[in-house]
Amino acid sequence: MRSAVAELADLRRRAEQGPSEQATEAQRAKGKLTARERIALLLDEGTFREVEPLRRHRATGFGMADRRPYTDGVITGWGAVHGRKVFVYAHDFRIFGGTLGEAHAAKIHKIMDLALTVGAPLISLNDGAGARIQEGVTALAGYGGIFQRNARASGVIPQISVVLGPCAGGAAYSPALTDFVFMVRDTSQMFVTGPDVIRAVTGEEIDHDGLGGADVHAETSGVCHFAFDDEETCLAQVRYLVSLLPANNREAPPRSDCDDPADRRTTGLLDLVPAAGGLAYDMREVIEEIVDHGEHLEVHERWAGNVICTLAGLGGDAVGIVASQPRARAGVLDIAASEKAARFVQFCDAFNIPIVTLLDVPGFLPGVAQEHGGIIRHGAKLLYAYCNATVPRISLILRKAYGGAYIVMDSRSIGADLSLAWPTNEIAVMGAEGAANIIFRREIAAADDPDATREALVKEYRAKLMHPYYAAERGLVDDVIDPAETREVLIGSLGMLLTKHADLPARKHGNPPQ
């Protein structure tokens, strides 16, 4: 028995060490950590339990029979993040470039199945060169199994993809199916077809980073939700995100002890937000004034900046906040902003996270490019997401809320549980100037002084239909509140709504706008 145990210890040591010191040095020369170092940073110390560390491939062609390292290039197992169970798999680029073969895929399938069965978050640390060419179609079938499991787990357990190296070809679709994608500048790249293929087919010249680097996906494509300068910061933020999320769709979000008083007055809001609707301000400062200790984790911070989607705490309870950003495009809704907010609303609803919507929106962005790009169907995605959401929903109108954008951003008419407003709110079909120009165009054209007449009629329209209490008088706003009481009112309202229960009609699934 002692001899057998000694042999086992030797096998485990060889599996943990990896292929060679040279391979490890090559990994570090690229500015990257090893797979095991990444897992150690991600998980609480001493909690990782590996699954199938002694797995090896069984391919025989193209010299593979003589190269059968343990783990087969992927490390799988479970551990804890802030004391809460998570499952993880990490590609080991030192072994076959982290490529996916039959055994490699089987290990990932196993850990994904365990995560779904147990009901715990799944985190993938991606650093692989795609399908293993030596294993042919078997490798492609392995990707199919991963994609199927990603889809099955969607909305059931949180799925987080961390791209820490190449993630090309079919491999890129697994992160795209998950809830959040993290990337690291200079070392992470994601693309379906690489620069060489693009050059051969289209003649376009571009490098790996310019095609699919972290900044490209964080700012242009919207594929990446979070981008960081180094792996240590990236993995620390993954840990922070996990701390805000429930383990699965059957649990409430984690609650934390909060020493930021629920009745703290937010008097700073009186100076942060100008009363004049045409003046810009930073909605992030509003959010920081309201939420616990001013801390929040913004999703897609650098993409579609005219809307803010962020996770935060209010009175110790996790909430998702969707907010107009007047500093970017005056806070209008466009194609990208609608998609960004819609997916965030869907995520919050899937995992029982209440949604607070902060409105200061002048409407949808006009233009031929937006119309031809499908703003109708893209805007409908956000409308569908809100209408379908059964979690507690509170909307707060700070200033402008015009036209279809007002309806889409969780108005009472589409199911918001509570609609609140500040005394600076203006809810209308459009701005007073535009409305007066349409309604009174004949009077203005016939007047001796069109400008003076227009100004007088604008004031009349605003006084009759756009004063702050018009919507409240008609029951479309539940209350008009003092901005200094915003935090207290939101926390109290969410506390009332925590036991909300709402059922959707029986159906296989809806058919959301595409």
Side-chain angles (χ1 to χ4, degrees):
M1 178 63 73
R2 293 181 184 278
S3 174
V5 170
E7 181 183 12
L8 172 62
D10 182 61
L11 290 177
R12 287 190 176 279
R13 179 186 58 78
R14 288 159 57 189
E16 291 175 4
Q17 282 183 342
S20 67
E21 189 61 34
Q22 290 84 355
T24 301
E25 289 304 316
Q27 178 82 347
R28 291 185 176 142
K30 297 172 184 173
K32 301 193 294 183
L33 301 174
T34 66
R36 292 187 186 277
E37 288 170 339
R38 291 163 174 166
I39 291 173
L41 284 174
L42 173 67
L43 302 180
D44 298 345
E45 185 175 357
T47 63
F48 181 57
R49 179 69 180 181
E50 191 169 353
V51 175
E52 296 189 356
L54 304 181
R55 187 72 178 256
R56 299 198 290 181
H57 73 75
R58 54 186 179 182
T60 57
F62 307 101
M64 295 292 286
D66 300 324
R67 301 170 61 201
R68 300 182 65 229
Y70 292 111
T71 74
D72 199 49
V74 65
I75 300 166
T76 59
W78 75 87
V81 172
H82 298 300
R84 301 169 64 226
K85 187 187 308 171
V86 299
F87 288 81
V88 61
Y89 69 86
H91 299 297
D92 190 342
F93 194 83
R94 301 173 303 165
I95 298 174
F96 301 129
T99 55
L100 182 136
E102 178 195 27
H104 184 118
K107 290 181 65 175
I108 295 175
H109 296 168
K110 168 74 174 178
I111 215 66
M112 295 179 79
D113 289 340
L114 279 173
L116 188 58
T117 301
V118 171
L122 174 70
I123 304 170
S124 64
L125 306 181
N126 298 267
D127 185 8
R132 193 172 299 167
I133 298 172
Q134 296 93 328
E135 296 194 33
V137 71
T138 307
L140 298 179
Y143 275 125
I146 293 173
F147 303 155
Q148 183 192 47
R149 287 166 173 82
N150 284 140
R152 191 186 307 155
S154 181
V156 181
I157 57 172
Q159 298 181 83
I160 301 170
S161 297
V162 189
V163 181
L164 300 167
C167 187
Y173 282 109
S174 179
L177 288 167
T178 60
D179 299 305
F180 298 103
V181 177
F182 288 72
M183 295 184 74
V184 175
R185 294 183 184 90
D186 300 326
T187 57
S188 303
Q189 296 98 29
M190 290 179 67
F191 39 73
V192 175
T193 54
D196 294 339
V197 175
I198 289 176
R199 186 183 305 111
V201 175
T202 70
E204 296 171 288
E205 292 285 346
I206 194 166
D207 62 17
H208 288 80
D209 232 30
L211 180 62
D215 289 329
V216 168
H217 287 311
E219 296 176 4
T220 306
S221 72
V223 171
C224 169
H225 300 80
F226 305 96
F228 299 96
D229 290 328
D230 57 77
E231 294 189 17
E232 291 83 358
T233 305
C234 178
L235 293 169
Q237 289 300 300
V238 174
R239 287 175 56 86
Y240 179 42
L241 173 61
V242 171
S243 74
L244 298 172
L245 305 179
N248 56 64
N249 66 341
R250 299 183 300 278
E251 293 187 2
R255 197 180 192 289
S256 60
D257 294 329
C258 179
D259 56 7
D260 190 350
D263 60 354
R264 170 171 57 81
R265 289 181 63 80
T266 50
T267 52
L269 297 176
L270 298 170
D271 300 316
L272 279 176
V273 181
L279 297 178
Y281 61 95
D282 191 346
M283 185 66 82
R284 289 189 184 91
E285 294 181 1
V286 174
I287 293 169
E288 289 163 7
E289 180 73 14
I290 295 170
V291 302
D292 296 346
H293 300 295
E295 297 177 357
H296 62 104
L297 181 63
E298 187 170 348
V299 179
H300 268 146
E301 180 180 355
R302 295 162 60 198
W303 181 62
N306 37 328
V307 69
I308 295 172
C309 299
T310 192
L311 293 163
L314 269 176
D317 291 309
V319 296
I321 298 174
V322 179
S324 312
Q325 173 55 297
R327 284 189 62 178
R329 293 192 169 189
V332 296
L333 284 177
D334 57 10
I335 288 172
S338 299
E339 286 193 340
K340 171 180 170 178
R343 192 148 196 274
F344 184 73
V345 167
Q346 289 173 168
F347 174 82
C348 290
D349 185 53
F351 291 103
N352 310 310
I353 300 172
I355 301 167
V356 174
T357 305
L358 305 178
L359 286 85
D360 191 348
V361 58
F364 281 93
L365 180 65
V368 175
Q370 287 288 308
E371 296 295 342
H372 288 184
I375 186 62
I376 295 172
R377 60 186 176 87
H378 290 288
K381 292 177 184 179
L382 181 54
L383 182 61
Y384 187 96
Y386 270 124
C387 290
N388 222 30
T390 60
V391 292
R393 291 156 50 190
I394 300 174
S395 65
L396 172 63
I397 302 157
L398 281 63
R399 296 192 309 186
K400 303 178 298 297
Y402 293 163
Y406 155 67
I407 300 172
V408 166
M409 290 284 280
D410 208 17
S411 62
R412 274 283 300 277
S413 60
I414 66 168
D417 297 297
L418 288 173
S419 180
L420 307 171
W422 284 358
T424 45
N425 81 85
E426 287 186 355
I427 306 173
V429 175
M430 62 178 66
E433 291 78 6
N437 285 337
I438 294 172
I439 297 172
F440 305 115
R441 61 183 181 276
R442 291 178 181 172
E443 292 92 326
I444 293 170
D448 294 332
D449 187 345
D451 291 337
T453 302
R454 181 185 295 106
E455 184 177 348
L457 292 172
V458 165
K459 287 181 179 179
E460 178 186 350
Y461 182 86
R462 181 175 283 117
K464 288 183 177 179
L465 295 180
M466 294 182 66
H467 64 79
Y469 306 102
Y470 184 85
E473 291 170 3
R474 284 151 182 79
L476 296 174
V477 166
D478 292 293
D479 198 7
V480 179
I481 66 171
D482 180 346
E485 298 175 351
T486 299
R487 173 176 166 83
E488 181 180 4
V489 171
L490 288 177
I491 291 175
S493 300
L494 286 169
M496 178 274 292
L497 289 167
L498 281 179
T499 54
K500 174 186 175 181
H501 176 76
D503 291 319
L504 292 172
R507 57 184 175 185
K508 187 174 182 180
H509 57 73
N511 187 23
Q514 295 298 318

